[in-house]
């Protein structure tokens, strides 16, 4: 069974930065792609960023230019570097991959507030 474990969330002031990590329980070469989603209170879970096995990336329009997704294959970890954070980035952030079935992490809370 594959597990994804997120870390790195917290409280940050507007304009600040955070780096989220998603550690997989098996080689991330097992996944065609890995993604970060987020879900704000009362809203649906939405895609934030995605990185393919080949390293191609795509981002939601709302975070383009501020967030960067990357992967460290040796550590079986995917990162989400979040800069210039805004209050509207406040949400629970989830790591996602597909390995025969949908695999989600437990989520990590990001709160952007002064």
């Amino acid at each position: 069974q594959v597990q994804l474990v997120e870390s790195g969330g917290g409280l940050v002031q507007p304009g600040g930065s955070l780096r989220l990590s998603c550690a997989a329980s098996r080689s991330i070469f097992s996944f065609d792609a890995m993604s970060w989603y987020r879900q704000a209170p009362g809203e649906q879970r939405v895609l934030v960023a995605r990185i393919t096995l080949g390293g191609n990336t795509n981002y939601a329009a709302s975070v383009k230019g501020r967030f960067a997704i990357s992967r460290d294959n040796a550590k079986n970890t995917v990162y989400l570097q979040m800069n210039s954070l805004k209050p509207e980035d406040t949400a629970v952030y989830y790591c996602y991959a597909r390995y025969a079935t949908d695999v989600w992490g437990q989520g990590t809370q990001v709160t952007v507030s002064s």
Side-chain angles (χ1 to χ4, degrees), residues 23-107:
S25 61
R26 63 178 296 130
S27 170
I28 59 176
F29 284 117
S30 302
F31 315 120
D32 289 337
M34 295 186 73
S35 305
W36 285 97
Y37 283 74
R38 69 186 181 187
Q39 187 168 20
E43 298 185 12
Q44 290 188 329
R45 194 171 298 188
V46 296
L47 178 67
V48 174
R50 181 175 180 267
I51 186 166
T52 68
L53 188 61
N56 295 317
T57 59
N58 60 281
Y59 298 91
S62 59
V63 307
K64 212 167 188 179
R66 299 188 297 123
F67 290 12
I69 188 170
S70 62
R71 54 193 294 159
D72 186 329
N73 297 328
K75 295 183 178 180
N76 294 325
T77 299
V78 172
Y79 302 100
L80 185 68
Q81 178 66 44
M82 306 186 295
N83 299 323
S84 303
L85 282 161
K86 304 175 182 181
E88 50 264 43
D89 295 317
T90 296
V92 179
Y93 284 70
Y94 296 91
C95 186
Y96 167 82
R98 183 162 180 87
Y99 185 74
T101 186
D102 291 336
V103 182
W104 292 95
Q106 83 286 354

